[in-house]
Amino acid sequence: LTLAVVLPQHNLTYPWAWPRVGPAVRLAAAAVNSRRDLLPGFTLGWVFGSSEDRHGVCSAVAAPLVAVDLWLAHHPAAFLGPGCVYSAAPVARFTSHWQLPLVTAGAEAHGFGDKSEEFGSTTRTGPSHRKLGELGVQLHRHFNWTRRALLVYWDERVDDRPYFFAAEGLYVQLPTLHNLTVMDVVFRDGGNFSFIIQEIKAKGR
């Protein structure tokens, strides 16, 4: 019984990088195999493929190619990872098509919460931005904030865009409060902060 692992191989800026997760995978496999009552007649093994590109960052190209290679070569029973949003999305679509489970500590973006089709076999063990959005809704109800919400976030459109996806959860969920206007202001490193302050004054009240 084979587990396919698709994670960043070297880059420790990701919490799900292989040097962090690998020891846990080895320990888990050893623990499962030491108990014959868990998977009688099977031995759990794993194969690894890196989701990094040549620059060492999560790749929406490398991850699905590696996933297809592992599926064809090893016929895994399940996938562990990827964690990065742009890497996880295409791999999750493949695993749904293959009817295989995918477990990830990442993939926090709001869209992964849709289990009706492409992400139906994806299970997230970590936090999700949909839940952050639901928290925002509860806070607005509790404090009776009923007119408008302004989301201000930093976005460089590189790598995994964590602030964009965090804001997305709020942006999608807050309109479920009827008559609430939701706006967003994006700023970048070296941006015009005077303009941003004026936008907050104009749109946040």
Side-chain angles (χ1 to χ4, degrees), residues 101-161:
L102 183 149
V103 179
T104 177
E108 309 99 319
H110 189 276
F112 287 94
D114 182 4
K115 302 301 180 185
S116 60
E117 289 187 23
E118 56 188 352
F119 303 124
S121 65
T122 301
T123 299
R124 297 179 290 179
T125 62
S128 78
H129 295 320
R130 184 188 190 97
K131 291 297 182 184
L132 175 64
E134 291 172 357
L135 171 65
V137 169
Q138 292 303 317
L139 287 173
H140 276 69
R141 284 183 178 144
H142 178 78
F143 292 107
N144 198 29
W145 297 333
T146 56
R147 290 199 312 158
R148 63 179 60 187
L150 180 65
L151 307 175
V152 183
Y153 61 94
W154 181 78
D155 184 24
E156 282 291 343
R157 296 180 180 269
V158 295
D159 201 9
D160 222 34
R161 302 177 71 189

Side-chain angles (χ1 to χ4, degrees), residues 40-55:
F42 293 95
T43 299
L44 179 63
W46 50 268
V47 290
F48 175 80
S50 178
S51 62
E52 292 178 1
D53 64 11
R54 60 189 179 88
H55 302 292

Side-chain angles (χ1 to χ4, degrees), residues 57-192:
V57 297
C58 282
S59 170
V61 175
L65 291 177
V66 165
V68 170
D69 287 345
L70 293 177
W71 180 68
L72 289 172
H74 302 282
H75 307 289
F79 277 76
L80 177 63
C84 300
V85 169
Y86 288 120
S87 298
V91 176
R93 293 183 183 105
F94 278 131
T95 58
S96 180
H97 174 67
W98 298 329
Q99 297 183 331
L100 295 176
L102 183 149
V103 179
T104 177
E108 309 99 319
H110 189 276
F112 287 94
D114 182 4
K115 302 301 180 185
S116 60
E117 289 187 23
E118 56 188 352
F119 303 124
S121 65
T122 301
T123 299
R124 297 179 290 179
T125 62
S128 78
H129 295 320
R130 184 188 190 97
K131 291 297 182 184
L132 175 64
E134 291 172 357
L135 171 65
V137 169
Q138 292 303 317
L139 287 173
H140 276 69
R141 284 183 178 144
H142 178 78
F143 292 107
N144 198 29
W145 297 333
T146 56
R147 290 199 312 158
R148 63 179 60 187
L150 180 65
L151 307 175
V152 183
Y153 61 94
W154 181 78
D155 184 24
E156 282 291 343
R157 296 180 180 269
V158 295
D159 201 9
D160 222 34
R161 302 177 71 189
Y163 309 112
F164 170 82
F165 286 113
E168 180 197 31
L170 292 161
Y171 192 85
V172 173
Q173 289 295 318
L174 285 176
T176 62
L177 293 166
H178 300 298
N179 299 321
L180 180 72
T181 302
V182 181
M183 302 181 189
D184 67 301
V185 175
V186 181
F187 68 93
R188 295 177 177 83
D189 195 20
N192 185 339

